[in-house]
Amino acid sequence: MAVILQKQRVIIRFEDTIFASTTQGPAASGEVSLNVCSGELFLIRLARLEQTATFADACAGIIQPISGSVYFLGRNWPELPTDQANALRGRISRVFRTGNWINHLSLMENILLSQLHHTRKPVRRLRDEAGKLAQQFGLPGLPLGLPGDFTTADLRRAACVRAFLGRPLLILLEEPTSGIYAEVISALMTAVREARERGAAVIWLTQKSLIWHDQTLPVTQRYRLVAGKLMEVTT
């Protein structure tokens, strides 16, 4: 079912952007120009696995481009004071390819941490919302143990719970179904649809052929990052 919004808002914009890889020097020789609006789901295929983190970091203003600009909600990341930039990042959620868990905190605390910092929702309400999402993604409930106590598959499920908790305006998905595609794809599509209907934009970053060739995904646009240049792909 298509997601229909009365008015689209540009959530994130890349303007003639060249950014650097954190691991292999310059990631691009071409310029990236892209608008992602509310209610849209962009699928972007990258040649190298580590590029997913680089691209997501650029979206969140964590790394700065070599040239060009990245605008989130109309604001250019480098021009923002640190406190404003950090506050804006509270509107962004993310499934990290590498997990990004704080090992001495429980998985529940990890899931709730961003919402506790950036919103004023009561803890009980957040726990209830997270518990429902946890069950949706195949967990028995909100996980209480330390990250090291869980399987990789359950950590991937918990990462999805964290990403869709609250009302983020931009959701960055770095290989969210890695190793658990069949188990979570239905729940993931439900969560993506509901987020888009609320006005969020979703960017799904993948290297996997299984995801790229799945024509059942309700993708707004598909892009490939080739030689550092985003190329739109029509199907």
Side-chain angles (χ1 to χ4, degrees):
M1 180 181 296
V3 176
I4 301 175
L5 296 174
Q6 292 183 346
K7 184 178 180 180
Q8 285 191 316
R9 175 187 188 186
V10 176
I11 301 298
I12 190 160
R13 176 163 60 95
F14 284 84
E15 186 176 276
D16 300 329
T17 304
I18 299 175
F19 55 90
S21 168
T22 57
T23 58
Q24 296 186 7
S29 57
E31 296 176 342
V32 174
S33 294
L34 186 70
N35 284 347
V36 187
C37 297
S38 56
E40 293 187 321
L41 168 59
F42 277 31
L43 182 64
I44 300 177
R45 188 176 189 181
L46 304 106
R48 300 197 306 270
L49 194 58
E50 70 274 4
Q51 287 179 316
T52 62
T54 301
F55 197 95
D57 283 348
C59 289
I62 296 171
I63 63 172
Q64 303 303 326
I66 296 171
S67 64
S69 302
V70 180
Y71 295 86
F72 178 63
L73 300 180
R75 298 170 176 87
N76 190 5
W77 283 117
E79 297 175 356
L80 291 171
T82 300
D83 58 342
Q84 292 184 24
N86 288 335
L88 270 183
R89 291 188 185 105
R91 311 299 302 275
I92 301 173
S93 66
R94 182 170 172 181
V95 171
F96 293 85
R97 178 176 61 85
T98 56
N100 205 51
W101 302 109
I102 301 174
N103 291 325
H104 68 274
L105 297 181
S106 72
L107 206 50
M108 178 189 71
E109 290 171 323
N110 271 276
I111 289 170
L112 300 182
L113 185 60
S114 177
Q115 291 295 304
L116 290 172
H117 180 69
H118 288 290
T119 74
R120 297 180 179 178
K121 289 184 180 179
V123 175
R124 177 176 294 181
R125 180 179 170 188
L126 286 172
R127 285 178 177 173
D128 288 344
E129 291 178 8
K132 291 177 182 176
L133 278 170
Q135 291 179 339
Q136 178 177 326
F137 281 101
L139 293 167
L142 192 57
L144 301 178
L146 296 174
D149 298 332
F150 293 88
T151 66
T152 300
D154 281 348
L155 289 175
R156 299 300 294 177
R157 294 183 177 92
C160 291
V161 174
R162 178 174 60 184
F164 287 96
L165 184 62
R167 301 178 68 88
L169 280 177
L170 176 64
I171 303 170
L172 304 169
L173 304 177
E174 300 177 52
E175 300 288 15
T177 63
S178 181
I180 53 172
Y181 177 85
E183 293 88 343
V184 301
I185 187 61
S186 177
L188 181 62
M189 287 299 93
T190 297
V192 166
R193 174 180 54 78
E194 291 174 349
R196 293 172 66 193
E197 288 175 347
R198 290 194 300 266
V202 183
I203 299 177
W204 187 332
L205 303 165
T206 187
Q207 190 195 29
K208 297 183 181 299
S209 296
L210 174 66
I211 302 299
W212 181 251
H213 293 296
D214 187 346
Q215 297 301 314
T216 68
L217 300 180
V219 173
T220 307
Q221 289 181 269
R222 294 171 184 261
Y223 285 87
R224 294 188 67 178
L225 188 62
V226 180
K229 188 174 181 62
L230 277 177
M231 301 177 63
E232 187 174 359
V233 177
T234 58
T235 57

